[in-house]
Amino acid sequence: MPIRQFQAQRMHAPRDFQSIANLPICVEIGAGKGKHALLFTEQNPEHQLIAIERTREKFLAMQKQHSIEGQSNLQPIHADALPWVVHALYPKQVQQFFILYPNPEPHNPAQRWLNMPFFEFLISRLQSNGSITLASNIPEYIEEAEQQLKKIWNLPYEKQVIAKDSARTHFEVKYLERGELCQQLIITKPESYQTRFDDFQPLQGQNAQDTV
């Protein structure tokens, strides 16, 4: 189905928004209570991860656990991901995006990640040869995403079955214990890939004092 162009300039900044430096980072969207974010930053101390969660209760749980574990390379953010990404991230800044078990939006398919105009903007924030990991326990969700990657976005990807002993998120643990098939797409951005937002600077990023 055709996808209209995303209107980035119409996005209002999240409440209490703070700019970030233009340095390589990883970003998890919909981080929940932070199980994957905490695990990833512990196992990959050389990577900086920003973990975004919109739901206050889940964000506070992540923040609390982070205060206990104390990974200096993790920054939890309480915000809606779309306006935060538009206001904070620079072109080709992100090494990896993680979108693990997003809401499948059964009654509103236009809100699924690869069906949204915003997905083009997300790609513009990704480094060349960077990756987007999209995981789901719903085969139809993965199948539709594959079709969109082929027909709309023209992006290469690898489809993987997630190991039964994987435990990256609370949802993943629950689904695998039920015996459900969990799959992920590892989407890669080629060197030559272009979007209409490649020169679009963050709406408030220029105000960051520590930007390099």
Side-chain angles (χ1 to χ4, degrees), residues 17 167 184 192:
F17 174 80
Q184 65 185 13
S192 59

Side-chain angles (χ1 to χ4, degrees), residues 9-29:
Q9 67 280 3
R10 295 185 180 178
M11 282 280 169
H12 296 288
R15 184 182 300 174
D16 301 324
F17 174 80
Q18 293 183 337
S19 301
I20 65 169
N22 187 8
L23 298 169
I25 55 169
C26 301
V27 177
E28 181 173 0
I29 295 176

Side-chain angles (χ1 to χ4, degrees), residues 5 21 31 36 42 46 48 52-53 75 86-87 102 106 115 139 147 154 160 164 166 177-178 186-188 190 196-197:
Q5 183 168 345
H36 171 263
E42 180 184 5
E46 74 283 6
Q48 297 290 324
I52 308 168
E53 175 53 44
Q75 182 180 355
V86 168
H87 281 262
N115 296 346
Q147 292 303 309
N154 193 28
Q160 300 174 346
K164 290 181 170 56
S166 186
E177 284 179 350
R178 289 180 186 167
I186 309 296
I187 305 160
T188 306
R196 291 171 287 188
F197 300 101

Side-chain angles (χ1 to χ4, degrees), residues 29-212:
I29 295 176
K33 297 180 180 179
K35 185 175 176 64
H36 171 263
L38 291 157
L39 185 66
F40 177 85
T41 47
E42 180 184 5
Q43 295 177 345
N44 300 275
E46 74 283 6
H47 286 302
Q48 297 290 324
L49 177 69
I50 290 179
I52 308 168
E53 175 53 44
R54 179 174 58 185
T55 306
R56 179 172 176 79
E57 182 182 356
K58 291 179 180 178
F59 168 77
L60 290 174
M62 171 167 54
Q63 192 178 50
K64 180 180 179 180
Q65 191 61 33
H66 180 225
S67 69
I68 295 170
E69 297 188 26
Q71 288 91 323
S72 60
N73 57 332
L74 172 60
Q75 182 180 355
I77 296 285
H78 181 217
D80 186 297
L82 274 67
W84 188 88
V85 165
V86 168
H87 281 262
L89 295 182
Y90 293 80
K92 296 188 175 183
Q93 180 181 10
V94 178
Q95 298 163 310
Q96 297 180 71
F97 279 109
F98 297 97
I99 308 174
L100 306 179
Y101 305 95
N103 183 340
E105 303 286 355
H107 304 299
N108 193 2
Q111 290 298 308
R112 296 172 192 158
W113 284 100
L114 276 76
N115 296 346
M116 290 195 292
F118 173 74
F119 194 71
E120 181 182 3
F121 190 91
L122 199 70
I123 298 167
S124 77
R125 306 298 98 172
L126 190 64
Q127 293 180 359
S128 297
N129 300 312
S131 65
I132 302 173
T133 300
L134 176 70
S136 178
N137 65 316
I138 301 172
E140 295 79 11
Y141 189 99
I142 293 291
E143 291 166 11
E144 181 186 66
E146 284 188 272
Q147 292 303 309
Q148 296 296 78
L149 288 169
K150 294 173 184 175
K151 294 180 180 179
I152 303 293
W153 305 115
N154 193 28
L155 284 167
Y157 66 92
E158 181 181 346
K159 183 179 181 178
Q160 300 174 346
V161 174
I162 296 167
K164 290 181 170 56
D165 61 350
S166 186
R168 293 177 298 182
T169 78
H170 293 92
F171 282 125
E172 188 165 81
V173 171
K174 180 172 69 173
Y175 297 146
L176 290 170
E177 284 179 350
R178 289 180 186 167
E180 296 182 22
L181 173 65
C182 292
Q183 300 175 95
Q184 65 185 13
L185 302 178
I186 309 296
I187 305 160
T188 306
K189 180 181 178 179
E191 288 273 0
S192 59
Y193 197 91
Q194 294 182 324
T195 79
R196 291 171 287 188
F197 300 101
D198 290 348
D199 297 321
F200 188 100
Q201 296 298 312
L203 289 180
Q204 294 195 13
Q206 62 267 32
N207 298 325
Q209 298 300 309
D210 55 350
T211 298
V212 295

